[in-house]
């Protein structure tokens, strides 16, 4: 049975790790390089690093910060935020990232997924998707961009399928409704997309207890769960979460 992955997310703003609720009221919670090293030592399977202001400010990724993080962790490391061209993808990989997350830029230029997958391989290209409930969409969920601030005309399920057809090798699916609420992941949305695409789906938004992770990794059909608040501010460790998941019968790497 394939092991389920635990991934820690570092949202970065102005070179510092930050945390908010539903993309609002972000607080400075520390140095991303020190935090990445700490979670690596705790046994996290992967790290995701999002520059949450890059797209909104129209700039590319902070390469020196990426290379500092990459020098401290020896696990898959995914970077998102402000990556709008093949050159941005290349420079981010050269700075030490194994994977690139395309979110707003993929919506604005879907061809970037296709070109990125062709040049660097599907395993490098991750679709980041922020979705919220919207009954007017066929699937019941709409895609938002620019850190959840801008509504698009895209239906979440249709966009997930299209992105995979274009070459995305993985999807990080973030529920805006659940983000930072710590009440559990959006199981309906996660399951619907996980059952409809042929690539791994990483559930994001809402993790507050190990049971929430167990639910989304089993009932929600997710391949991995992304966490932030639990380890940043709620006293959990990656190792402790994995021990709890084992008790729930979820296969994880210890």
């Amino acid at each position: 049975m394939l092991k389920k992955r635990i991934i820690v997310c570092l949202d970065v703003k102005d070179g510092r790790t930050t945390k908010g609720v539903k993309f609002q009221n972000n607080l400075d919670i520390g140095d991303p390089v020190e935090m990445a090293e700490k979670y690596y030592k705790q046994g996290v399977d992967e790290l995701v690093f999002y520059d949450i202001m890059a797209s909104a400010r129209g700039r590319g990724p902070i390469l020196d910060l990426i290379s500092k993080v990459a020098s401290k962790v020896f696990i898959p490391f995914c970077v998102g935020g402000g990556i709008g061209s093949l050159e941005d993808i290349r420079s981010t990989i050269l700075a030490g990232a194994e994977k690139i997350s395309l979110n707003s830029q993929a919506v604005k230029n879907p061809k970037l997924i296709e070109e990125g997958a062709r040049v660097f391989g599907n395993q490098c290209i991750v679709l980041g998707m922020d979705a919220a409930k919207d009954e007017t969409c066929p699937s019941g969920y709409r895609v938002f961009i620019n850190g959840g601030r801008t509504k698009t005309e895209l239906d979440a399920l249709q966009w997930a399928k299209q992105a995979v057809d274009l070459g995305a090798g993985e999807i990080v699916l973030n529920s805006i409704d659940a983000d930072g609420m710590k009440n559990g992941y959006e199981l309906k949305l996660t399951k619907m997309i996980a059952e409809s695409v042929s690539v791994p789906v990483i559930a994001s938004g809402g993790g507050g207890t190990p049971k929430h992770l167990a639910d989304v990794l089993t009932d929600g059909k997710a391949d991995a769960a992304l966490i932030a608040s639990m380890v940043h501010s709620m006293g959990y460790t990656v190792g402790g979460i994995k021990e709890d998941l084992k008790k729930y019968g979820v296969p994880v790497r210890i």
Side-chain angles (χ1 to χ4, degrees), residues 10-70:
L10 300 172
D11 284 336
V12 176
K13 180 182 178 185
D14 304 322
R16 300 284 292 173
T17 308
T18 181
K19 190 71 190 95
V21 175
K22 296 188 179 181
F23 298 106
Q24 305 288 320
N25 307 318
N26 286 72
L27 301 171
D28 182 326
I29 57 170
D31 177 342
V33 182
E34 289 172 7
M35 293 173 77
E37 187 174 21
K38 177 176 85 172
Y39 299 133
Y40 168 64
K41 287 177 175 171
Q42 286 181 10
V44 75
D45 297 305
E46 296 186 25
L47 279 169
V48 174
F49 176 110
Y50 289 132
D51 187 328
I52 62 169
M53 296 306 294
S55 287
R57 290 176 179 167
R59 62 162 171 75
I62 310 173
L63 299 175
D64 62 331
L65 190 56
I66 292 164
S67 65
K68 281 177 191 164
V69 171

Side-chain angles (χ1 to χ4, degrees), residues 236-251:
Y236 287 100
T237 65
V238 175
I241 292 168
K242 286 187 172 187
E243 289 296 343
D244 285 337
L245 287 173
K246 263 180 73 180
K247 290 173 192 161
Y248 288 118
V250 178

Side-chain angles (χ1 to χ4, degrees), residues 54-104:
S55 287
R57 290 176 179 167
R59 62 162 171 75
I62 310 173
L63 299 175
D64 62 331
L65 190 56
I66 292 164
S67 65
K68 281 177 191 164
V69 171
S71 72
K72 300 288 184 187
V73 303
F74 304 95
I75 49 174
F77 172 40
C78 179
V79 173
I83 297 170
S85 67
L86 278 182
E87 197 39 59
D88 286 340
I89 296 175
R90 182 176 284 108
S91 58
T92 304
I93 290 171
L94 288 173
E98 277 82 14
K99 301 180 186 180
I100 301 303
S101 178
L102 301 174
N103 188 321
S104 305

